[in-house]
mmCIF file of all heavy atoms in Angstrom:
data_model
loop_
_atom_site.group_PDB
_atom_site.id
_atom_site.type_symbol
_atom_site.label_atom_id
_atom_site.label_comp_id
_atom_site.label_asym_id
_atom_site.label_seq_id
_atom_site.Cartn_x
_atom_site.Cartn_y
_atom_site.Cartn_z
ATOM 1 N N GLY B 98 50.480 -50.905 -38.833
ATOM 2 C CA GLY B 98 51.174 -50.512 -37.617
ATOM 3 C C GLY B 98 52.401 -49.675 -37.855
ATOM 4 O O GLY B 98 53.215 -49.504 -36.968
ATOM 5 N N THR B 99 52.541 -49.149 -39.045
ATOM 6 C CA THR B 99 53.668 -48.261 -39.304
ATOM 7 C C THR B 99 53.364 -46.886 -38.732
ATOM 8 O O THR B 99 52.266 -46.605 -38.269
ATOM 9 C CB THR B 99 53.929 -48.109 -40.806
ATOM 10 O OG1 THR B 99 52.857 -47.363 -41.390
ATOM 11 C CG2 THR B 99 54.013 -49.464 -41.476
ATOM 12 N N TYR B 100 54.359 -46.014 -38.819
ATOM 13 C CA TYR B 100 54.197 -44.675 -38.282
ATOM 14 C C TYR B 100 53.266 -43.823 -39.119
ATOM 15 O O TYR B 100 52.848 -42.768 -38.711
ATOM 16 C CB TYR B 100 55.567 -43.979 -38.246
ATOM 17 C CG TYR B 100 56.017 -43.513 -39.612
ATOM 18 C CD1 TYR B 100 55.726 -42.227 -40.054
ATOM 19 C CD2 TYR B 100 56.682 -44.370 -40.469
ATOM 20 C CE1 TYR B 100 56.088 -41.809 -41.315
ATOM 21 C CE2 TYR B 100 57.049 -43.955 -41.730
ATOM 22 C CZ TYR B 100 56.762 -42.682 -42.149
ATOM 23 O OH TYR B 100 57.131 -42.278 -43.395
ATOM 24 N N LYS B 101 52.947 -44.260 -40.311
ATOM 25 C CA LYS B 101 52.387 -43.350 -41.298
ATOM 26 C C LYS B 101 50.946 -42.949 -41.011
ATOM 27 O O LYS B 101 50.059 -43.790 -40.921
ATOM 28 C CB LYS B 101 52.477 -43.961 -42.689
ATOM 29 C CG LYS B 101 52.328 -42.927 -43.789
ATOM 30 C CD LYS B 101 52.825 -43.463 -45.112
ATOM 31 C CE LYS B 101 52.797 -42.355 -46.152
ATOM 32 N NZ LYS B 101 53.237 -42.821 -47.463
ATOM 33 N N TYR B 102 50.767 -41.658 -40.854
ATOM 34 C CA TYR B 102 49.471 -41.032 -40.718
ATOM 35 C C TYR B 102 49.265 -40.132 -41.921
ATOM 36 O O TYR B 102 50.175 -39.446 -42.338
ATOM 37 C CB TYR B 102 49.441 -40.141 -39.471
ATOM 38 C CG TYR B 102 48.698 -40.709 -38.316
ATOM 39 C CD1 TYR B 102 49.260 -41.716 -37.550
ATOM 40 C CD2 TYR B 102 47.445 -40.222 -37.963
ATOM 41 C CE1 TYR B 102 48.562 -42.228 -36.471
ATOM 42 C CE2 TYR B 102 46.758 -40.723 -36.889
ATOM 43 C CZ TYR B 102 47.314 -41.727 -36.145
ATOM 44 O OH TYR B 102 46.636 -42.228 -35.077
ATOM 45 N N ILE B 103 48.054 -40.118 -42.442
ATOM 46 C CA ILE B 103 47.739 -39.213 -43.541
ATOM 47 C C ILE B 103 46.554 -38.364 -43.119
ATOM 48 O O ILE B 103 45.507 -38.898 -42.754
ATOM 49 C CB ILE B 103 47.418 -39.997 -44.820
ATOM 50 C CG1 ILE B 103 48.602 -40.888 -45.184
ATOM 51 C CG2 ILE B 103 47.110 -39.034 -45.972
ATOM 52 C CD1 ILE B 103 48.259 -41.963 -46.152
ATOM 53 N N PHE B 104 46.756 -37.054 -43.160
ATOM 54 C CA PHE B 104 45.717 -36.124 -42.735
ATOM 55 C C PHE B 104 45.064 -35.460 -43.941
ATOM 56 O O PHE B 104 45.721 -35.168 -44.935
ATOM 57 C CB PHE B 104 46.312 -35.021 -41.853
ATOM 58 C CG PHE B 104 46.684 -35.485 -40.482
ATOM 59 C CD1 PHE B 104 47.947 -36.001 -40.223
ATOM 60 C CD2 PHE B 104 45.765 -35.418 -39.436
ATOM 61 C CE1 PHE B 104 48.287 -36.444 -38.952
ATOM 62 C CE2 PHE B 104 46.105 -35.852 -38.168
ATOM 63 C CZ PHE B 104 47.364 -36.374 -37.939
ATOM 64 N N GLY B 105 43.778 -35.203 -43.817
ATOM 65 C CA GLY B 105 43.110 -34.339 -44.776
ATOM 66 C C GLY B 105 43.507 -32.891 -44.524
ATOM 67 O O GLY B 105 44.177 -32.584 -43.540
ATOM 68 N N THR B 106 43.082 -32.014 -45.392
ATOM 69 C CA THR B 106 43.459 -30.599 -45.280
ATOM 70 C C THR B 106 42.560 -29.827 -44.322
ATOM 71 O O THR B 106 42.781 -28.652 -44.082
ATOM 72 C CB THR B 106 43.438 -29.918 -46.649
ATOM 73 O OG1 THR B 106 42.189 -30.197 -47.279
ATOM 74 C CG2 THR B 106 44.579 -30.432 -47.524
ATOM 75 N N GLY B 107 41.570 -30.487 -43.765
ATOM 76 C CA GLY B 107 40.758 -29.851 -42.738
ATOM 77 C C GLY B 107 39.498 -29.199 -43.265
ATOM 78 O O GLY B 107 39.443 -28.737 -44.407
ATOM 79 N N THR B 108 38.469 -29.161 -42.422
ATOM 80 C CA THR B 108 37.213 -28.456 -42.701
ATOM 81 C C THR B 108 36.937 -27.523 -41.537
ATOM 82 O O THR B 108 36.883 -27.970 -40.389
ATOM 83 C CB THR B 108 36.034 -29.428 -42.861
ATOM 84 O OG1 THR B 108 36.266 -30.282 -43.971
ATOM 85 C CG2 THR B 108 34.734 -28.654 -43.063
ATOM 86 N N ARG B 109 36.782 -26.260 -41.871
ATOM 87 C CA ARG B 109 36.505 -25.276 -40.817
ATOM 88 C C ARG B 109 35.000 -25.173 -40.627
ATOM 89 O O ARG B 109 34.273 -24.733 -41.517
ATOM 90 C CB ARG B 109 37.086 -23.920 -41.219
ATOM 91 C CG ARG B 109 37.117 -22.908 -40.097
ATOM 92 C CD ARG B 109 37.845 -21.644 -40.549
ATOM 93 N NE ARG B 109 39.223 -21.916 -40.906
ATOM 94 C CZ ARG B 109 40.243 -21.866 -40.060
ATOM 95 N NH1 ARG B 109 40.032 -21.567 -38.794
ATOM 96 N NH2 ARG B 109 41.467 -22.118 -40.460
ATOM 97 N N LEU B 110 34.530 -25.613 -39.466
ATOM 98 C CA LEU B 110 33.110 -25.533 -39.141
ATOM 99 C C LEU B 110 32.850 -24.238 -38.384
ATOM 100 O O LEU B 110 33.470 -23.985 -37.352
ATOM 101 C CB LEU B 110 32.693 -26.728 -38.286
ATOM 102 C CG LEU B 110 31.261 -26.703 -37.744
ATOM 103 C CD1 LEU B 110 30.242 -26.762 -38.881
ATOM 104 C CD2 LEU B 110 31.028 -27.857 -36.772
ATOM 105 N N LYS B 111 31.951 -23.428 -38.920
ATOM 106 C CA LYS B 111 31.590 -22.186 -38.232
ATOM 107 C C LYS B 111 30.108 -22.246 -37.898
ATOM 108 O O LYS B 111 29.262 -22.328 -38.794
ATOM 109 C CB LYS B 111 31.884 -20.973 -39.104
ATOM 110 C CG LYS B 111 31.651 -19.646 -38.374
ATOM 111 C CD LYS B 111 32.190 -18.471 -39.146
ATOM 112 C CE LYS B 111 31.875 -17.148 -38.447
ATOM 113 N NZ LYS B 111 32.498 -17.067 -37.120
ATOM 114 N N VAL B 112 29.817 -22.233 -36.630
ATOM 115 C CA VAL B 112 28.436 -22.283 -36.168
ATOM 116 C C VAL B 112 27.957 -20.858 -35.915
ATOM 117 O O VAL B 112 28.563 -20.113 -35.140
ATOM 118 C CB VAL B 112 28.295 -23.141 -34.907
ATOM 119 C CG1 VAL B 112 26.830 -23.200 -34.473
ATOM 120 C CG2 VAL B 112 28.829 -24.551 -35.165
#
Side-chain angles (χ1 to χ4, degrees):
Chain B
T99 69
Y100 76 92
K101 198 163 186 181
Y102 256 76
I103 302 163
F104 287 89
T106 51
T108 298
R109 192 174 299 270
L110 174 64
K111 186 169 177 62
V112 181

